């Protein structure tokens, strides 16, 4: 099993102290967390893309380029690249450039994105966002594979024998499809034989497991080898402590603050108590053995071979956050790496000589 540390670069007051860092300091924190993730042995570091409050992750290529300069080994992920909002030609130019600067360490997780404010900002409607996402991905995919591209597009000017530079380093870049609630993204991933990354954050495991079952069915429908399936899954929170009692005591004020925020802003409350959140959500909170057991339970439902955890402190103190990540890597990850297989492809740049 592989492990990613991911941030959406949320920028709001600390749920426990109420202190909000400056935008500048928040970006520095992201960079520090990326370096820490590499030092601790994480396999990937991901940055989301959102174009609305309270996120400041509108330019993931810029952030990941800086992370690439500060690191040497860790793979860099987008989480997710919102192709339904973007011109696929411009997105290709940005990510192809980033991949060269990162020496082929880039993986993409793409998706339509969430949020009404960012749809309005880019003049995308709920009715056309899925068609935009599919079209943008298909053009993006061609650009990465073909030196000249012709595409009869609806949502951007058509391309005719177009050349786009720079030509890629990885041929092609690996693209995962982010999936939260819709079969459209699952079907798109299966159609092209691409890996799937389940959000697996907001709800209990059942709806995500149902989508993954659909993905497996569609994968076989399109004639792909079931042994080549790769699935990643998210988590709703992370705090690993020596004992379950310590984990609950430290995390309780964080949960209660987040619960109050959900109620205050009208967000749906899925888990009403910390105990319910720890038991039924994907959050990894508890002793090392409890976290190991939970990942195994989710693996039985999802069959995932990549697990993401939060890169941010998200209410923990800096020392609690670092101690938790260190304990995860020293006591949790080695067991799961041994028990659960890796994805069925090398964790390395996709270069022409390595393609099938």
């Amino acid at each position: 099993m592989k492990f990613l540390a991911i941030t959406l670069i949320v920028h709001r007051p600390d749920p426990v102290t109420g202190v909000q860092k400056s935008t500048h300091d928040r970006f520095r924190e992201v960079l520090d967390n990326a370096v820490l993730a590499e030092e601790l042995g994480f396999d990937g570091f991901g940055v989301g893309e959102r174009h609305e409050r309270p996120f400041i992750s509108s330019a993931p290529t810029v952030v990941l380029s800086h992370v690439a300069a500060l690191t040497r080994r860790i793979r860099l992920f987008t989480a997710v690249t919102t192709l339904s909002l973007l011109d696929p030609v411009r997105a290709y130019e940005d990510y192809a450039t980033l991949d060269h600067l990162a020496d082929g360490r880039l993986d993409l997780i793409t998706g339509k994105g969430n949020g009404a404010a960012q749809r309005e900002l880019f003049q995308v409607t709920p009715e056309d966002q899925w068609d935009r996402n599919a079209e943008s991905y298909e053009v993006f995919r061609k650009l990465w594979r073909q030196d000249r591209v012709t595409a009869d597009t609806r949502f951007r000017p058509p391309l005719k024998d177009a050349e786009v530079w720079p030509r890629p380093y990885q041929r092609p870049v690996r693209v995962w499809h982010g999936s939260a609630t819709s079969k459209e993204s699952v079907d798109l991933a299966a159609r092209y034989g691409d890996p799937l990354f389940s959000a697996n954050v907001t709800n209990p495991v059942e709806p995500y497991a149902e989508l993954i079952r659909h993905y497996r069915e569609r994968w076989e429908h399109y004639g792909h080898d079931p042994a080549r399936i790769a699935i990643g899954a998210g988590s709703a929170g992370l705090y690993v402590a020596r004992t379950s009692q310590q984990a609950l005591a430290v995390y309780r004020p964080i949960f209660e603050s987040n619960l109050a925020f959900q109620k205050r802003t009208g967000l749906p409350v899925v888990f009403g108590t910390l105990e319910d959140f720890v038991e039924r959500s994907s959050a990894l909170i508890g002793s090392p053995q409890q976290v190991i057991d939970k990942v195994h339970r989710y693996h039985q439902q999802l069959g995932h071979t990549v697990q993401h955890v939060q890169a941010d402190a998200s209410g923990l103190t800096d020392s609690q956050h670092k101690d938790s990540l260190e304990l995860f890597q020293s006591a949790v990850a080695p067991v799961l790496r041994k028990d659960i297989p890796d994805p069925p492809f090398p964790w390395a740049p996709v270069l022409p000589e390595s393609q099938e």
Side-chain angles (χ1 to χ4, degrees):
M1 177 167 259
K2 300 294 187 182
F3 300 97
L4 314 182
I6 285 181
T7 177
L8 299 180
I9 322 186
V10 176
H11 189 226
R12 64 183 183 92
D14 183 283
V16 176
T17 67
V19 174
Q20 180 165 322
K21 295 183 177 181
S22 70
T23 299
H24 178 81
D25 287 346
R26 184 70 181 94
F27 280 125
R28 295 306 313 178
E29 183 179 49
V30 170
L31 299 177
D32 291 344
N33 284 336
V35 172
L36 176 63
E38 177 165 90
E39 290 174 350
L40 293 179
F42 279 89
D43 303 291
F45 185 84
V47 174
E49 179 182 341
R50 294 288 184 92
H51 299 270
E52 60 186 342
R53 185 182 301 185
F55 307 95
I56 53 173
S57 51
S58 57
T61 50
V62 178
V63 177
L64 287 171
S65 290
H66 200 148
V67 172
L70 296 174
T71 58
R72 292 292 178 267
R73 176 196 58 79
I74 199 166
R75 289 195 67 78
L76 309 178
F77 280 73
T78 64
V80 299
T81 295
T82 52
L83 282 180
S84 67
L85 308 179
L86 305 177
D87 182 324
V89 175
R90 192 70 186 96
Y92 165 81
E93 292 172 334
D94 285 346
Y95 282 109
T97 301
L98 167 59
D99 197 37
H100 276 282
L101 297 176
D103 295 326
R105 288 187 283 140
L106 177 65
D107 273 46
L108 288 164
I109 307 175
T110 70
K112 70 170 180 61
N114 293 312
Q118 63 182 11
R119 282 201 307 267
E120 293 172 5
L121 185 65
F122 287 89
Q123 297 185 330
V124 172
T125 69
E127 292 74 27
D128 69 20
Q129 62 183 349
W130 285 112
D131 290 340
R132 286 177 179 271
N133 185 65
E135 178 183 289
S136 290
Y137 174 64
E138 288 160 3
V139 172
F140 185 91
R141 192 174 190 275
K142 286 181 179 180
L143 289 168
W144 213 285
R145 288 166 169 77
Q146 301 173 18
D147 291 338
R148 293 178 179 270
V149 170
T150 296
D152 185 15
T153 51
R154 291 174 53 201
F155 300 107
R156 59 146 288 123
L159 299 172
K160 184 176 181 180
D161 202 26
E163 292 182 287
V164 185
W165 300 95
R167 298 313 301 147
Y169 184 84
Q170 293 189 93
R171 293 180 180 264
V173 70
R174 180 174 297 111
V175 177
W176 303 68
H177 294 253
S179 166
T181 59
S182 175
K183 291 183 178 179
E184 282 89 343
S185 57
V186 166
D187 188 82
L188 188 64
R191 185 188 320 161
Y192 286 105
D194 293 331
L196 186 74
F197 216 106
S198 173
N200 191 43
V201 168
T202 307
N203 297 297
V205 70
E206 288 78 15
Y208 305 111
E210 181 179 351
L211 278 178
I212 288 175
R213 286 193 294 271
H214 182 70
Y215 170 66
R216 293 180 185 276
E217 291 168 2
R218 299 305 291 169
W219 179 279
E220 294 195 39
H221 168 80
Y222 288 116
H224 303 302
D225 180 358
R228 302 298 298 170
I229 284 178
I231 295 167
S235 61
L238 175 71
Y239 182 58
V240 189
R242 293 295 175 185
T243 67
S244 59
Q245 292 84 356
Q246 179 188 352
L248 289 174
V250 168
Y251 207 84
R252 190 172 300 280
I254 299 172
F255 173 82
E256 291 176 350
S257 175
N258 289 335
L259 180 64
F261 176 80
Q262 290 174 326
K263 292 178 178 178
R264 187 169 62 252
T265 56
L267 294 172
V269 174
V270 180
F271 308 102
T273 67
L274 174 60
E275 286 72 18
D276 188 37
F277 181 65
V278 171
E279 176 61 28
R280 293 196 306 120
S281 83
S282 61
L284 303 177
I285 298 167
S287 68
Q289 189 59 54
Q290 286 175 310
V291 171
I292 290 167
D293 291 343
K294 174 171 271 192
V295 174
H296 272 293
R297 291 200 306 273
Y298 269 70
H299 177 70
Q300 289 172 1
Q301 294 263 20
L302 306 179
H304 63 306
T305 53
V306 179
Q307 174 74 55
H308 94 44
V309 301
Q310 289 185 2
D312 300 313
S314 302
L316 299 170
T317 66
D318 290 343
S319 62
Q320 288 169 341
H321 177 52
K322 184 176 181 180
D323 289 348
S324 173
L325 291 176
E326 289 177 342
L327 190 55
F328 181 89
Q329 280 293 350
S330 65
V332 175
V335 176
L336 295 174
R337 290 186 195 278
K338 180 174 178 291
D339 292 349
I340 298 175
D342 285 344
F345 42 71
W347 201 257
V350 182
L351 302 176
E353 59 268 23
S354 67
Q355 294 180 43
E356 296 181 354

